[in-house]
Amino acid sequence: MEQCASVEREVDKVLQKFLTYGQHCEQSLEELLHYVGQLRAELASAALQGTPLSATLSLVMSQCCRKIKDTVQKLASDHKDIHSSVSRVGKAIDRNFDSEICGVVSDAVWDSREKQQQILQTAIVEHLYQQGMLSVAEELCQESTLNVDLDFKQPFLELNRILEALHEQDLGPALEWAVSHRQRLLELNSSLEFKLHRLHFIRLLAGGPEKQLEALSYARHFQPFARLHQREIQVMMGSLVYLRLGLEKSPYCHLLDNSHWAEICETFTRDACSLLGLSVESPLSVSFASGCVALPVLMNIKAVIEQRQCTGVWSHKDELPIEIELGMKCWYHSVFACPILRQQTSDSNPPIKLICGHVISRDALNKLINGGKLKCPYCPMEQNPADGKRIIF
């Protein structure tokens, strides 16, 4: 991140120079226009009176021309200084970032260049759909001749339609969606439908005493959620006591906090994505963030490999030469590393549970077999290797 910060400092300097130059340029031109306007008025007055051009006026005209020339030259010189600052940004990028990063990953990772391009285009289109940039995604599909099935687009279209309504504080589409998917949401232990009803109830409370009867009538929607959300329902019912006095100055003023709208958008996005089989964050953004963390490490490893002339160390398509810690945010599924071989298990080398309860990888099991028998490396129990069972985390 230090490299990014270094480039950002250079960009900030350029932006500051652009701002200062713009203000100075505008001020200089306004002064020059005012000066020329005054001179023009004097020349027009002299022409109306029919008097010949005086020596004083002729001198003033010469000074005006000189002032215009000096101002233009000064502005042009200042503009050239900005060019040098812009070029320094390019030099900072070259100095802090490797211009050739494609060599970090072997071409053998991809089946073909066409396949690589198709995967990248699909990831970009999915990201645009997920961000709600539907028109941009459609344009990219047309220009890249990428054929996107309607079934692929439909979940994103529905998701963005409901989110746009929520941003406009319209709960109707979200409530309709939650009711139609009630059973599946319950299977996910989701409280989305309750939160939507609660927010609608709070909107009625915000309407004042005139909405009290409507709020009481709407409270019937809380009945299916009474067992799981009893405390929250009691709080909302208690707020009715202060409705005539104003909730803003009551102990229930927190109910009117606008943060509830941001919370409901996050809850809907998370639960809807889970229900529709989508990731909350687009694969492209996750891959980009992970790449920003992993790329500097991989570039250093590549330099070391080339320096020591051991290019055969990293030749596999499905693994990296070292483990790179991306943080808890990028942990999407459980992993198991064999305590014997110190390697992460995979489909071709799955974890195996022994009779004694200890778990090792299949490759480790095969290496520990001696005379058709296996002795657990952690306890003295001997057993038949065939009794080991594969574990799926």
Side-chain angles (χ1 to χ4, degrees):
M1 295 304 294
E2 178 58 35
Q3 290 87 344
C4 294
S6 177
V7 174
E8 190 175 9
R9 285 192 292 269
E10 293 295 335
V11 173
D12 289 340
K13 290 179 184 178
V14 173
L15 292 176
Q16 184 60 40
K17 283 194 174 184
F18 266 114
L19 180 62
T20 306
Y21 174 77
Q23 293 173 345
H24 174 66
C25 183
E26 187 176 354
Q27 182 180 357
S28 299
L29 291 176
E30 284 181 356
E31 292 176 356
L32 197 58
L33 286 170
H34 180 70
Y35 182 70
V36 172
Q38 287 181 331
L39 180 58
R40 181 181 179 183
E42 291 180 12
L43 289 172
S45 176
L48 287 174
Q49 295 175 5
T51 56
L53 192 64
S54 64
T56 304
L57 204 55
S58 178
L59 179 62
V60 171
M61 286 184 64
S62 300
Q63 291 175 345
C64 179
C65 292
R66 193 178 304 111
K67 186 173 183 179
I68 293 173
K69 183 179 179 181
D70 292 343
T71 301
V72 171
Q73 288 179 344
K74 180 69 169 60
L75 293 176
S77 176
D78 292 343
H79 195 268
K80 287 181 180 179
D81 290 340
I82 294 179
H83 277 286
S84 63
S85 299
V86 172
S87 67
R88 278 197 290 272
V89 173
K91 292 177 181 177
I93 293 174
D94 294 337
R95 185 172 60 252
N96 289 282
F97 298 99
D98 195 322
S99 59
E100 183 54 53
I101 61 174
C102 297
V104 173
V105 179
S106 172
D107 291 335
V109 171
W110 307 97
D111 297 328
S112 65
R113 185 170 182 83
E114 291 75 17
K115 184 71 173 178
Q116 175 184 359
Q117 189 173 7
Q118 184 182 4
I119 292 173
L120 181 59
Q121 289 173 351
T122 304
I124 294 173
V125 168
E126 182 176 345
H127 175 78
L128 293 173
Y129 276 128
Q130 193 153 352
Q131 296 300 314
M133 304 178 189
L134 308 180
S135 58
V136 182
E138 293 293 339
E139 187 68 27
L140 177 59
C141 289
Q142 292 178 7
E143 293 186 7
S144 63
T145 65
L146 186 67
N147 186 20
V148 178
D149 192 83
L150 182 61
D151 293 338
F152 175 81
K153 295 189 288 186
Q154 191 59 40
F156 298 106
L157 297 175
E158 185 178 23
L159 189 67
N160 282 288
R161 176 181 64 83
I162 297 173
L163 278 174
E164 285 177 8
L166 286 176
H167 288 311
E168 295 174 2
Q169 299 191 355
D170 180 9
L171 294 168
L175 271 170
E176 182 181 347
W177 185 90
V179 171
S180 63
H181 295 83
R182 176 178 295 167
Q183 188 57 42
R184 296 180 64 190
L185 287 171
L186 288 175
E187 292 172 1
L188 293 174
N189 294 323
S190 170
S191 59
L192 174 63
E193 186 180 353
F194 169 74
K195 289 183 177 180
L196 289 168
H197 285 305
R198 182 186 66 177
L199 197 54
H200 185 81
F201 184 84
I202 291 172
R203 289 190 69 181
L204 294 175
L205 293 178
E210 296 81 7
K211 295 286 186 177
Q212 184 172 2
L213 289 177
E214 188 178 349
L216 282 170
S217 177
Y218 192 83
R220 291 178 298 178
H221 289 87
F222 295 135
Q223 185 177 356
F225 311 100
R227 185 174 60 85
L228 295 176
H229 301 279
Q230 181 180 356
R231 176 60 183 163
E232 294 170 273
I233 295 172
Q234 288 174 345
V235 169
M236 286 185 286
M237 293 299 102
S239 66
L240 291 169
V241 177
Y242 292 88
L243 199 58
R244 294 188 180 277
L245 300 176
L247 289 181
E248 297 83 358
K249 300 178 182 178
S250 74
Y252 300 93
C253 59
H254 64 277
L255 294 175
L256 303 178
D257 197 334
N258 282 330
S259 63
H260 292 305
W261 288 100
E263 180 189 348
I264 201 65
C265 288
E266 292 177 5
T267 303
F268 172 77
T269 302
R270 183 183 65 251
D271 292 350
C273 286
S274 178
L275 206 64
L276 297 172
L278 304 173
S279 58
V280 177
E281 295 183 76
S282 74
L284 181 65
S285 61
V286 173
S287 301
F288 181 81
S290 302
C292 289
V293 176
L295 193 58
V297 181
L298 294 178
M299 291 175 68
N300 290 337
I301 290 295
K302 178 175 176 287
V304 171
I305 290 174
E306 291 179 348
Q307 183 180 4
R308 298 186 179 181
Q309 298 180 352
C310 49
T311 54
V313 172
W314 183 12
S315 58
H316 297 289
K317 294 172 64 173
D318 58 349
E319 66 177 19
L320 298 175
I322 58 169
E323 183 177 351
I324 298 176
E325 181 60 52
L326 297 178
M328 289 289 292
K329 188 178 180 181
C330 292
W331 287 16
Y332 294 101
H333 53 80
S334 301
V335 295
F336 176 76
C338 175
I340 306 301
L341 299 181
R342 308 280 184 184
Q343 292 178 352
Q344 184 175 313
T345 54
S346 61
D347 291 337
S348 59
N349 179 30
I352 303 295
K353 179 185 176 184
L354 305 179
I355 295 177
C356 55
H358 295 111
V359 181
I360 59 176
S361 66
R362 177 177 290 170
D363 288 351
L365 183 145
N366 293 333
K367 290 183 179 181
L368 291 171
I369 295 175
N370 186 11
K373 289 290 183 179
L374 170 67
K375 186 175 180 179
C376 176
Y378 288 96
C379 65
M381 180 180 288
E382 284 194 359
Q383 50 201 293
N384 187 346
D387 294 334
K389 294 185 179 180
R390 178 176 178 176
I391 292 180
I392 298 176
F393 290 98

